[in-house]
Amino acid sequence: MTALLALSAASVALAASPQLTVTLKPAPVTGAGGEGTVPFVDVTVEIPSMAVAAGAPLLRLPLVADNVQSVAETLTDLTASDSAGPVALTTKDDADTPTRAYSHWTAARPVQGTLTVRYRAPITTQANPRGAAPPLELRTDGGGFSGAAATFLIMPDSAAAYGLRVHWDLSAAGPGAAGVSNFGVGDVASTEASDGETLGATYFMGGAIHRYPEAAPAGTPAQGFFSAWQGTPPFDGKALMQWTEGLYHHYLGYFKDSGARPYGVFLRPNLVNAGGGVELNGAFIGTFDQKTDVKDFKFTLAHEMVHTFVRSLDTAPDDAAQGLESSWFSEGIAVYYQNRLPLRAGMVTPEEFLADLNSTAGRYYTNALNGTPNRDIPARFWADTRIRVLPYDRGALYFALVDEEVRKASRGKRSLDDLILAMLDRRRHGRPMDHAAWVEIITRELGPRGKVELDAMLNGALVLPGDDAFGPCFTRTTAPLRRYQLGFEPEVLIQPKRVVRGLIPGSAAAAAGLREGDEIVRPVPQDMIQGDQHATLTLQVRRDGQVFPITYLPRGETVEAYQWGRRPGAPATCG
């Protein structure tokens, strides 16, 4: 009865809100076979019940969303009309930022009734020119395309809540083409109204794509687990999605979730930081290249699925800096559970668990910047990969420490699980799930020490779980590991023109032949490399009109770093 009442309330809310209708018409595929590309998608947005004065905010599209460049400056054939006829639009852009900046459109006359906006959005095959960023840009591979609404969908420039109805025009896309979004397969609508920021987190994938399960017909709202992918991964996509579906059902039980909301997984190739991804409005967008190891990728899938169930701490919705500052919780808990829950479910081996744990620990304990206070992370998040991974690594080890202390204080009767479920219970009952809530819960559980340790972690103190923090099967040890060292000023890699400066004399980069003033012509991945002591970095460098590669091992000094291993005498089945 509760579920029916909730559904009824959502339906009433949606019926009372205006509904955007979005039509996506992808261009015919150019090229053949798995190499085909979709050069553009024609977009139509119909916005009902408009009553906007001349010169007032009318439409907007991010120029940059989470360091991803949108189509705002490259879209063509933009037209608009309302009940009175054509509407002439004027554009004004915000100042550029790594997080979010907008193109805004206004009209010289009042706009009334339904506003229809049409334009052509080009689709790229290139890496994000801004470097490290989540896979949100409108991108084409293997005869399909995908992208987040925030990077290509013009929306009302207001705080109003809208429903979203999606229509796919696949008439030019070829036989067998399909369209999928967060809301389901084919022409389908959202079940609740949302503000523009939330609607911007809608993900679309269309064209020559693969789906699992394949049974859902067009027009079916998403229910439970569903997935789609474009391109040709180096692994069995269907088998991996079957594994992921099994883990999803395990998470439903662990997090005491009814599964009323759908959970979608979208996969696509990526030229930078392949093997990673991002959680987006109840879905996960994962990326791969031809070197992606399916065993490692399973932990990525497990990580992002945690976000769907736990989500982030409550913060001001328009405060990106506050969101990054609180990411120690969301990213830390996702890293903590990404190997713990699959191990409990018997879906990874103890050896795979240890390999993933030690990758996190190795990256953290060799990080020369691991003492950076949490408050300084937002300003440097995109500029330096060593800062960018801190919320993940430090947060995960903090939660391992909390779990250890809760178990000891309760003599094994309680664990971190109880605290996280208490946080989720607050949200389900309409209470804030914010920083203050965590302080309240951890203090109630551990006394004043709980807040002291939290504050120390946030101020940059080293986090070190105890010898038995990961259970009786594993023990803490150390190993000589080398620090990650790019070899020059890291901020170079996020600038429009990447010109090397601050080259460190004697570094591996300098020894490999890199010089001050060299231009790096392509973005490069770093986040995943930091956890792999043997991974090399290849820069495509332009010097004196010539472009050539420089490859080196981006490592500096050796330090003793904490790791975990099998406890001597533990049985082979222990895990």
Side-chain angles (χ1 to χ4, degrees), residues 185-262:
V185 180
D187 296 356
V188 68
S190 62
T191 57
E192 57 188 34
S194 303
D195 60 22
E197 291 295 318
T198 303
L199 290 178
T202 305
Y203 202 76
F204 301 89
M205 181 173 284
I209 61 176
H210 311 275
R211 290 192 287 137
Y212 171 82
E214 300 176 0
T220 303
Q223 297 179 349
F225 179 88
F226 69 101
S227 65
W229 62 98
Q230 67 187 78
T232 305
F235 44 77
D236 184 332
K238 181 178 179 180
L240 180 59
M241 290 302 98
Q242 288 173 328
W243 181 92
T244 308
E245 182 180 29
L247 187 63
Y248 166 76
H249 288 291
H250 180 71
Y251 277 25
L252 287 177
Y254 171 76
F255 290 112
K256 303 185 187 308
D257 194 289
S258 66
R261 286 175 57 89

Side-chain angles (χ1 to χ4, degrees), residues 470-487:
F470 295 95
C473 300
F474 310 112
T475 185
R476 194 180 72 197
T477 183
T478 63
L481 300 177
R482 298 180 67 189
R483 294 191 189 279
Y484 182 81
Q485 185 184 73
L486 179 62

Side-chain angles (χ1 to χ4, degrees), residues 250-258 306 309-310 329 333 336-337 341 344 399 402-403 406 413-429 431-433 437-438 441-442 444-445:
H250 180 71
Y251 277 25
L252 287 177
Y254 171 76
F255 290 112
K256 303 185 187 308
D257 194 289
S258 66
V306 174
F309 290 93
V310 178
F329 180 91
I333 203 64
Y336 174 80
Y337 279 130
L341 293 185
R344 290 181 191 172
F399 283 117
V402 170
D403 180 67
V406 171
K413 295 179 180 179
R414 291 174 62 77
S415 70
L416 175 69
D417 299 354
D418 297 289
L419 278 61
I420 295 301
L421 291 174
M423 288 284 279
L424 297 180
D425 191 62
R426 290 178 63 97
R427 177 169 279 160
R428 291 188 184 110
H429 288 87
R431 300 172 65 196
M433 186 179 133
W438 178 250
I441 286 173
I442 197 68
R444 185 168 62 238
E445 195 73 28

Side-chain angles (χ1 to χ4, degrees), residues 3-29:
L4 290 175
L5 289 174
L7 180 60
S8 175
S11 300
V12 169
L14 183 59
S17 302
Q19 195 161 19
L20 304 181
T21 299
V22 175
T23 299
L24 302 179
K25 183 179 181 180
V29 175

